[in-house]
Amino acid sequence: MIVKFTVNNENRTLDVSPNKRLIDILRQDLNLKGTKEGCGEGECGSCTVIMDNKAVNSCLVIACQLEGKSITTIEGLGTEDNPDPLQTAFVEELAIQCGFCTTGMIMSAKALLIKNPNASEDDIKTALSGNICRCSGYEQIINAVQKAQQSGGKHL
Amino acid sequence: MNYVGKNIPLTDAWAKATGTAEYVCDMEIPNMLYASMIFSPYPHCTVESVDDSEALKIPGVFGVYHCFNTPPDTFNRFRTFYGQKVYNQERIFNKHLKFVGDRAAAVLADNAETAEKAAKLVSIKYKKLPYSLDIKTTEQGVIDDIFSEGSVYNVPQLEIGNFTETENPDIVKTATHTEMQRLAHICIETHCCIADYKSSTKELIVYTPTQSVFSLRTVLGDLLKIPYHKIRVVKTTMGGSFGCKQEWVLEPVAAYLATVAKRPVKLNYNRKDDMISTVSRAPITGDVISYIMPDGTIKGLEVNATVDAGGYIGNSYDYALAMGYKYTRNYRIPYLKYNSRAVITNTPVSGAFRGWTSPEATLMLEHNLDTAAKKLNMDSIDIRLKNAYNENDIDNRINVSLENTQIIRCLKEGRKIFEWDKRKFACQKQTGRYRTGIGVACGGHVNGYFPRKQDFATTTISSNEDGTVNILVSLHDHGCGTVTCFKAMAADCLGIKREDILIKEADTAYTPFDMGCFSSRTTYVIGNSLLNCCKKLIEQILANASKIYNTNIEYLTYKNGIVYNQGKKLTSFKEISRDSIIVCQKQLYATADYINKSNPGVHGVHFAQVEADTYTGHIKVTDYLAVHDIGKAINKGICKAQIQGAVNMGIGAALKESLIINKNGSCKGSLKDYHVINCFETPKINIHLIEEPCEHGPFGAKSIGEVCFVPVSAVIVNAVNNALNTDICTIPMTPDLIMKELCAKGGLKGGL
């Protein structure tokens, strides 16, 4: 099927199988490999991207759901030279170890802050409860999100 | 020091934060084939025939591989060093399949989708065999002929010291029983590797997030009959390991397929494949009998443990053996008798897990100590203080000094910070639905292999014309910041910026030999070779400066990146790097090694408070304190983060995590059935580091990555038993288990 949607503010028109997973479209068709697959069943959150301002597991979204949607991946969030405050805070607060959960974690946090820039600590914990980190005890991650909140920053 | 002891973001933190860090699953090589594995659907069977005709009709399929068209040679997934005696029981594709998830066949195709599609069309006829899913069934003889070596592997008894029960009439004998579940590592990066075979040079290249490139090279070389110098194993960015990537499960398969196809081959396991077919922590049962004097002094320990090896023996014989070594790391044990065995079952293969038997031994012992303390009417901390090692005590199993072991200080400072005595008082005479309990547990571990051999390392440093530095050392960073830690140490030794240092990870073609990242040896052992090398490089700097400036070397000193001549600045590291090449024609270059000859005590003493819901059996961890005898924290913030991660992993193991095997032998390979502690459930985990530098550690450092996991499950078990006045040592302590126990007890003391 032909599907038209935007990825990181770029218009995309792709001819893909209707049940192709968004994560595979991103990684295989668009070479956006910052999105990681950790479970393929929506349990670990490492493949989280933002779809129309909401965090979704890209392993659970398929091509036929993408028409007209706006997708943001970690690549669309920022670069080292022009980072999102969340990326800076994750680096500075030592919220990154093995890094395999990191991009999904940042995208979940970003979706929360778009909706609720003043999110409380409990809101942050709820928003990130679908993202597993096996290296840390989450403290640094929560600190990073709070630091990013304080520094304000751009919105999508 | 500019870096050591500070909080340093990992070297590749920005790459990871922006999604540009490259893991092996992200790598693509031109002309690459993709493998899709076909796993045994039965717990015990043989492959009778394979019909691949339909699969081969699919365009893009390169080949189908199985026991009838691949060599019968066998390997052991755990073999760590050259010449090691192990049981070689696994083929690349097995004919005799030992568990659901055993490798039966694989399809190679131009892309992953085609390979998967074709794999579904391969028709395999199996002959089912009787199977055993637990130790008891195996011991009844159901699968006696599964291997020529049999199904039960008895480990020789370990006995230290002398003891006669009757000599001490007052002695208190305490018997406890422990049962541990099968655990999955759940690194967020699942297993994946790429192998490439270059026909022109007959070279095999394997890209993999492994814990030991050199160990893996011996396995690949011997299995595929390729000389070691023609094999290049490259360690890639690792998305966590916790032990599961120190065993060779995917690499022999991918490497073999690459040699056959003469093309690059990628083998990538999804979460289910990873959970059912790679490595898990063995289910273990154990009985401990302690003999303790009324004043709390331990006189003897008798331990009897059985390790469920799963479908192949793998590391389980050694795992059972090594568990016996872990009882003498915290306390003076004048007598130890340890018996163990590994038993084959038709379940996923057991293997290395963070702490390599220390957490398992600790759970058994610490639960027993608490049970004994209750009998003796002693405080849980007091009984531990009575037996804990003093500085310079000797580990009597290996006859090696524990040096400046700080376990007593950990216990004492932890008692104060945690307000143990106040909390203990608050826990007495409780009534009502929710009961609070507190616990303490000591976890001890090692710093490297010593006194075992091959615990050495080598580092080479060279500087460039612009004053930047290249370091060759075989590091295997698990994602906990090993490379960052080494850059920090080198930068401080040489007085340069860490940004000016290049360290790539282990690569058998370029970096020096090293055993690998096991046994908490990286910082402690390899770090020393780095420090030795920095010292040698500084000698070289002074020698070159003396030549260039025609000064007496005896007048020259080096500090913070500057060469001084009788106290006056002569030149800098940057200038001397350039001038060495341009003027001296002798690049600043040094190689140094280090042979480890020490193994000080290293400990984590953890304290926890839990709340038990006596209506539902649900346990909540409300407070946690981890006190660590760490010597010196090189990257303090990351050490804390690592400890907190280990605490979560241990809480999960104590209360939630279990890899469940169904009655038909299939394994629940899904995170829907395997609950990992998430950010909503994690308690506030307080950390207290005792930094008393140890003599032989680089900058005084001791190990941390494994020891922080060692006492966690034990402390939770002790706290739950304290809350409910029970004697449970079966993990995970699920609500079902708790309610069953409470019902069996006929309710709670004090009433509801």
Side-chain angles (χ1 to χ4, degrees):
Chain A
M1 66 177 284
I2 304 286
V3 58
K4 284 185 184 177
F5 61 114
T6 69
V7 179
N8 301 331
N9 293 324
E10 269 183 59
N11 292 322
R12 295 286 187 169
T13 304
L14 295 176
D15 186 1
V16 290
S17 148
N19 63 355
K20 187 161 191 174
R21 304 181 307 165
L22 174 57
I23 186 170
D24 296 330
I25 292 172
L26 294 172
R27 288 178 58 87
Q28 293 167 11
D29 298 282
L30 304 176
N31 201 31
L32 295 169
K33 294 193 172 175
T35 302
K36 304 296 182 199
E37 177 161 353
C39 71
E41 55 181 5
E43 289 288 326
C44 77
S46 65
C47 68
T48 306
V49 299
I50 295 175
M51 182 160 85
D52 289 352
N53 286 342
K54 280 187 185 149
V56 292
N57 290 307
S58 63
C59 70
L60 298 183
V61 174
I62 52 173
C64 62
Q65 296 169 284
L66 288 175
E67 187 63 33
K69 298 283 197 247
S70 164
I71 304 293
T72 305
T73 69
I74 192 73
E75 290 88 350
L77 202 61
T79 59
E80 185 171 353
D81 297 329
N82 182 26
D84 185 273
L86 273 166
Q87 290 169 310
T88 310
F90 266 65
V91 171
E92 288 175 353
E93 289 298 310
L94 310 183
I96 300 169
Q97 289 189 55
C98 90
F100 214 81
C101 75
T102 301
T103 54
M105 198 70 85
I106 290 175
M107 296 317 285
S108 286
K110 187 68 197 175
L112 169 71
L113 298 188
I114 291 168
K115 192 176 139 209
N116 182 6
N118 302 315
S120 67
E121 186 174 329
D122 268 2
D123 294 335
I124 297 169
K125 286 184 174 178
T126 306
L128 299 184
S129 61
N131 292 75
I132 298 171
C133 167
R134 194 65 155 164
C135 297
S136 82
Y138 301 99
E139 186 180 293
Q140 297 73 17
I141 291 168
I142 295 163
N143 289 346
V145 179
Q146 288 177 327
K147 187 171 182 178
Q149 274 180 308
Q150 286 152 18
S151 65
K154 62 185 182 183
H155 292 290
L156 293 165
Chain B
M1 284 182 287
N2 287 324
Y3 301 110
V4 169
K6 307 270 167 58
N7 299 327
I8 317 164
L10 301 199
T11 296
D12 55 0
W14 270 110
K16 287 167 174 173
T18 51
T20 54
E22 191 179 53
Y23 300 82
V24 68
C25 64
D26 304 324
M27 290 170 64
E28 304 288 342
I29 297 179
N31 207 29
M32 188 155 77
L33 291 166
Y34 295 77
S36 180
M37 193 66 73
I38 300 166
F39 299 106
S40 172
Y42 303 115
H44 195 191
C45 59
T46 52
V47 176
E48 295 300 299
S49 65
V50 178
D51 179 359
D52 55 12
S53 52
E54 291 302 311
L56 290 171
K57 283 180 195 159
I58 307 264
V61 170
F62 183 87
V64 179
Y65 303 88
H66 43 76
C67 62
F68 298 113
N69 62 4
T70 59
D73 304 308
T74 52
F75 67 98
N76 179 301
R77 53 171 61 208
F78 140 78
R79 197 182 81 172
T80 312
F81 55 90
Y82 181 76
Q84 185 180 4
K85 282 182 190 157
V86 284
Y87 296 104
N88 289 328
Q89 296 179 334
E90 269 181 88
R91 284 178 59 167
I92 294 162
F93 298 103
N94 297 295
K95 181 175 194 312
H96 179 177
L97 302 169
K98 318 292 195 304
F99 64 101
V100 177
D102 203 351
R103 296 180 304 274
V107 175
L108 277 185
D110 287 340
N111 60 63
E113 215 178 332
T114 306
E116 263 174 57
K117 199 171 141 193
K120 292 195 177 104
L121 298 174
V122 176
S123 170
I124 303 180
K125 282 210 172 83
Y126 301 95
K127 185 181 150 196
K128 292 197 236 174
L129 297 168
Y131 62 91
S132 160
L133 301 180
D134 54 56
I135 292 165
K136 230 180 188 172
T137 312
T138 300
E139 284 176 341
Q140 285 163 3
V142 176
I143 54 167
D144 271 357
D145 52 0
I146 189 162
F147 294 113
S148 57
E149 301 93 2
S151 59
V152 177
Y153 298 69
N154 286 305
V155 176
Q157 177 175 284
L158 170 72
E159 194 170 22
I160 304 162
N162 295 302
F163 172 69
T164 317
E165 197 180 332
T166 49
E167 272 176 19
N168 298 299
D170 298 332
I171 215 153
V172 176
K173 182 177 169 181
T174 305
T176 49
H177 178 73
T178 301
E179 290 189 22
M180 283 165 246
Q181 77 280 46
R182 186 183 303 283
L183 286 178
H185 302 72
I186 315 293
C187 319
I188 308 302
E189 180 203 30
T190 53
H191 279 76
C192 179
C193 81
I194 293 174
D196 190 6
Y197 188 75
K198 308 270 187 205
S199 306
S200 53
T201 53
K202 297 192 174 63
E203 280 175 316
L204 173 69
I205 309 171
V206 179
Y207 303 92
T208 178
T210 178
Q211 285 184 228
S212 177
V213 294
F214 289 97
S215 302
L216 175 55
R217 189 178 66 170
T218 71
V219 172
L220 297 178
D222 296 358
L223 177 70
L224 304 175
K225 301 177 182 69
I226 302 174
Y228 291 2
H229 74 298
K230 291 285 186 185
I231 302 173
R232 181 179 170 206
V233 183
V234 184
K235 194 271 178 190
T236 56
T237 302
M238 184 189 267
S241 174
F242 314 111
C244 72
K245 291 167 186 166
Q246 79 171 63
E247 305 208 3
W248 335 120
V249 187
L250 272 63
E251 295 92 340
V253 182
Y256 169 75
L257 293 174
T259 60
V260 173
K262 311 252 182 301
R263 282 171 66 177
V265 170
K266 185 188 243 184
L267 178 55
N268 190 1
Y269 275 7
N270 65 25
R271 181 59 59 190
K272 186 182 179 192
D273 302 344
D274 205 87
M275 289 175 82
I276 70 166
S277 184
T278 61
V279 186
S280 57
R281 201 285 307 275
I284 294 171
T285 58
D287 289 286
V288 180
I289 299 172
S290 62
Y291 298 93
I292 303 182
M293 295 300 286
D295 70 349
T297 309
I298 301 171
K299 286 288 177 190
L301 275 185
E302 286 173 11
V303 182
N304 196 337
T306 307
V307 171
D308 180 340
Y312 294 92
I313 193 70
N315 80 349
S316 288
Y317 177 91
D318 297 72
Y319 212 71
L321 175 75
M323 209 183 333
Y325 300 165
K326 306 298 174 68
Y327 288 93
T328 54
R329 293 305 289 172
N330 285 327
Y331 310 113
R332 289 179 297 276
I333 311 283
Y335 175 75
L336 172 68
K337 185 163 91 176
Y338 175 79
N339 278 292
S340 63
R341 65 211 56 76
V343 175
I344 299 288
T345 60
N346 299 107
T347 60
V349 185
S350 302
F353 201 96
R354 193 177 200 172
W356 235 87
T357 70
S358 287
E360 294 87 338
T362 297
L363 177 61
M364 292 187 208
L365 177 58
E366 292 294 304
H367 167 65
N368 184 284
L369 270 187
D370 255 28
T371 312
K374 213 157 109 185
K375 267 190 186 177
L376 295 163
N377 201 22
M378 263 187 103
D379 177 81
S380 292
I381 294 178
D382 290 341
I383 196 170
R384 287 168 172 83
L385 281 170
K386 189 91 197 164
N387 296 288
Y389 281 126
N390 291 307
E391 287 192 31
N392 303 315
D393 273 353
I394 303 288
D395 177 339
N396 58 345
R397 185 189 70 80
I398 48 177
N399 202 26
V400 171
S401 171
L402 291 138
E403 300 184 25
N404 75 332
T405 181
Q406 297 294 313
I407 182 170
I408 290 180
R409 220 177 119 191
C410 289
L411 278 161
K412 286 183 175 170
E413 289 184 23
R415 171 178 231 155
K416 214 165 156 188
I417 298 166
F418 194 67
E419 298 183 307
W420 170 267
D421 298 287
K422 197 171 143 190
R423 285 178 196 264
K424 193 176 158 186
F425 183 75
C427 290
Q428 287 166 358
K429 292 181 186 161
Q430 295 182 70
T431 54
R433 174 175 172 178
Y434 297 98
R435 299 294 173 89
T436 298
I438 54 171
V440 60
C442 298
H445 199 55
V446 292
N447 305 271
Y449 284 141
F450 184 77
R452 265 178 59 192
K453 290 202 172 158
Q454 297 196 37
D455 203 12
F456 70 96
T458 309
T459 300
T460 296
I461 308 180
S462 56
S463 76
N464 306 312
E465 299 94 315
D466 62 351
T468 58
V469 162
N470 291 15
I471 300 183
L472 290 175
V473 56
S474 284
L475 298 182
H476 302 80
D477 196 327
H478 295 201
C480 53
T482 306
V483 171
T484 311
C485 165
F486 273 63
K487 283 188 181 180
M489 293 194 292
D492 277 353
C493 284
L494 298 174
I496 59 175
K497 287 192 209 152
R498 70 183 179 100
E499 292 82 356
D500 290 341
I501 299 174
L502 171 78
I503 302 181
K504 294 282 184 191
E505 294 190 62
D507 179 333
T508 57
Y510 301 108
T511 59
F513 178 84
D514 186 74
M515 282 296 283
C517 185
F518 323 120
S519 213
S520 287
R521 60 184 291 280
T522 300
T523 304
Y524 190 78
V525 180
I526 309 176
N528 269 312
S529 75
L530 176 83
L531 261 57
N532 282 349
C533 194
C534 288
K535 277 181 211 151
K536 270 180 105 168
L537 194 79
I538 291 169
E539 285 168 17
Q540 185 74 59
I541 290 169
L542 298 182
N544 285 10
S546 149
K547 265 187 214 162
I548 295 162
Y549 295 96
N550 199 20
T551 44
N552 188 337
I553 193 166
E554 283 170 20
Y555 298 150
L556 301 181
T557 52
Y558 185 83
K559 203 182 165 190
N560 293 335
I562 306 290
V563 180
Y564 295 91
N565 182 2
Q566 293 177 297
K568 219 172 135 193
K569 184 181 166 181
L570 182 68
T571 183
S572 67
F573 183 84
K574 189 173 175 175
E575 289 162 351
I576 195 79
S577 296
R578 178 197 62 208
D579 295 344
S580 291
I581 291 172
I582 295 171
V583 182
C584 264
Q585 301 194 76
K586 185 174 171 56
Q587 184 189 19
L588 286 183
Y589 179 94
T591 293
D593 44 27
Y594 179 77
I595 303 173
N596 185 29
K597 286 188 176 151
S598 63
N599 209 331
V602 58
H603 311 276
V605 178
H606 290 197
F607 301 81
Q609 180 165 322
V610 301
E611 182 189 82
D613 182 342
T614 58
Y615 285 11
T616 63
H618 185 75
I619 307 291
K620 192 174 162 191
V621 181
T622 54
D623 296 270
Y624 203 99
L625 170 68
V627 184
H628 275 270
D629 166 22
I630 193 170
K632 172 81 187 170
I634 304 289
N635 190 349
K636 197 170 270 179
I638 290 291
C639 287
K640 286 186 177 179
Q642 212 180 356
I643 296 167
Q644 289 169 331
V647 170
N648 265 350
M649 192 180 269
I651 292 175
L655 301 176
K656 314 247 180 199
E657 297 180 26
S658 182
L659 196 56
I660 298 163
I661 309 294
N662 297 314
K663 278 183 183 157
N664 65 1
S666 65
C667 169
K668 288 196 186 243
S670 161
L671 289 175
K672 291 189 198 310
D673 300 300
Y674 192 98
H675 185 77
V676 173
I677 300 285
N678 66 28
C679 110
F680 206 83
E681 299 160 309
T682 181
K684 166 91 181 137
I685 301 160
N686 295 301
I687 310 289
H688 178 59
L689 300 179
I690 292 177
E691 295 190 275
E692 196 63 54
C694 87
E695 189 185 346
H696 301 290
F699 295 92
K702 296 199 268 195
S703 70
I704 190 65
E706 294 188 279
V707 68
C708 53
F709 178 65
V710 174
V712 187
S713 294
V715 75
I716 301 298
V717 164
N718 285 349
V720 171
N721 284 321
N722 178 252
L724 299 171
N725 194 28
T726 45
D727 179 25
I728 310 169
C729 198
T730 296
I731 59 168
M733 294 174 127
T734 58
D736 282 356
L737 183 96
I738 298 279
M739 291 319 291
K740 208 173 139 192
E741 183 70 17
L742 289 182
C743 291
K745 262 177 57 147
L748 285 165
K749 263 189 196 163
L752 291 173

